[in-house]
Amino acid sequence: MKILVVEDDLEIQGLISYFFIKEGYEVHGVDNGLDGLKKLKEEKHDLIILDLMLPGIDGKNFTKIVRSMGEYGNPKIIMLTAKTEIEDVLEGLEVGADDYMKKPFDPRELVLRGKKLLAIKEIKKEEKSENKFLNIVIDEKKHKVFYEENEIELSKKEFDLLNLLINNVGLVVTREKILDRVWDSNYYSGDRTVDVYISKLREKLPILSECIKTVKGVGYRLEEKR
């Protein structure tokens, strides 16, 4: 398993790397957010140890970018920071971090937390990679959608939108959440973009016409026909 340490304090970066290497992990280190994103594009990593206060792109924006764009994979993220306010902790978790540790920290505890997150990641890898709704089957690994065993051609955005709705069956998914998960949150896509793509899904999969409910002024909810 590969671990990326994004930390501008080289002494701390080296300390973290040392303890994870001792446990048999392959570790790469960078000292800023831009180089971290470049490294993730070059090769996928399973866990990121991320400093919050970074030059260029800070830890929060780094996390938003990683979570909003599939090209970076789906690594677990542990944020490190000297900030102690609860608001900072909550904001870090809200933008997509899986765990949060305050500096100074014990590297042994960090390794244990990392191992726990990686164990969860491995369990999910072993689970079936299919999502189902009625007669619709999504094969996430092959990035394909089938309806009654016939493959349906969807664009990447249509695929990601459908997958998000199926993963939240019965729940209201806000337009903001859809834009954040399916589109780059830094990219302005227009107020009508989500509505247009919902229409495309209804057109390509007519069964969804009665299943995707519009929640006025909020977003959409996927539910089975009654």
Side-chain angles (χ1 to χ4, degrees):
M1 284 192 168
K2 294 179 182 178
I3 296 173
L4 179 63
V5 182
V6 188
E7 167 64 66
D8 62 333
D9 186 318
L10 297 183
E11 185 175 342
I12 295 175
Q13 183 191 124
L15 181 67
I16 295 170
S17 299
Y18 170 77
F19 273 86
F20 275 101
I21 289 170
K22 267 182 62 177
E23 297 297 317
Y25 295 103
E26 180 181 341
V27 182
H28 302 115
V30 295
D31 61 7
N32 64 82
L34 281 173
D35 285 345
L37 294 176
K38 289 178 184 176
K39 191 66 179 175
L40 286 178
K41 277 189 177 180
E42 292 170 4
E43 52 186 326
K44 298 296 187 291
H45 286 68
D46 302 287
L47 173 67
I48 300 173
I49 309 299
L50 178 67
D51 185 25
L52 186 59
M53 304 300 291
L54 289 167
I57 299 175
D58 65 20
K60 289 175 186 174
N61 283 315
F62 180 97
T63 302
K64 286 180 182 178
I65 293 169
V66 170
R67 291 295 184 234
S68 65
M69 300 181 72
E71 62 187 305
Y72 297 112
N74 188 30
K76 296 294 183 181
I77 297 176
I78 300 178
M79 275 188 178
L80 300 176
T81 185
K83 291 188 173 182
T84 58
E85 296 296 327
I86 186 63
E87 287 77 12
D88 294 306
V89 176
L90 294 175
E91 190 174 353
L93 295 173
E94 284 173 357
V95 298
D98 298 284
D99 201 354
Y100 199 107
M101 286 189 70
K102 297 174 184 176
K103 295 178 180 179
F105 60 91
D106 187 326
R108 296 169 299 178
E109 181 185 356
L110 177 60
V111 170
L112 287 175
R113 291 195 186 194
K115 283 184 173 181
K116 183 176 180 181
L117 289 175
L118 289 170
I120 294 171
K121 187 178 178 73
E122 279 300 290
I123 290 171
K124 288 185 176 179
K125 275 185 182 178
E126 293 170 5
E127 291 174 350
K128 286 187 73 176
S129 62
E130 289 185 349
N131 288 330
K132 296 182 179 180
F133 177 76
L134 301 178
N135 293 327
I136 300 171
V137 177
I138 292 182
D139 188 324
E140 291 192 42
K141 286 186 176 179
K142 294 181 179 178
H143 213 270
K144 292 183 177 182
V145 175
F146 299 90
Y147 175 64
E148 294 183 344
E149 300 185 355
N150 296 310
E151 185 175 351
I152 307 298
E153 293 292 333
L154 297 182
S155 69
K156 183 182 185 304
K157 298 300 185 188
E158 292 165 353
F159 179 94
D160 292 342
L161 175 56
L162 177 61
N163 203 26
L164 178 62
L165 292 172
I166 289 179
N167 281 327
N168 291 274
V169 171
L171 302 176
V172 176
V173 184
T174 65
R175 283 185 172 82
E176 289 77 14
K177 184 173 182 178
I178 292 172
L179 287 169
D180 185 57
R181 297 289 182 86
V182 179
W183 281 267
D184 183 351
S185 57
N186 294 319
Y187 168 68
Y188 178 73
S189 50
D191 296 334
R192 291 280 299 163
T193 298
V194 175
D195 301 335
V196 169
Y197 274 79
I198 289 290
S199 295
K200 288 182 178 182
L201 286 181
R202 286 170 169 159
E203 181 181 340
K204 291 185 176 182
L205 288 160
I207 191 174
L208 294 177
S209 295
E210 298 179 40
C211 298
I212 299 178
K213 306 294 184 183
T214 302
V215 182
K216 191 174 181 180
V218 181
Y220 294 92
R221 179 176 60 245
L222 182 65
E223 58 185 41
E224 293 188 19
K225 293 184 294 184
R226 295 181 180 177

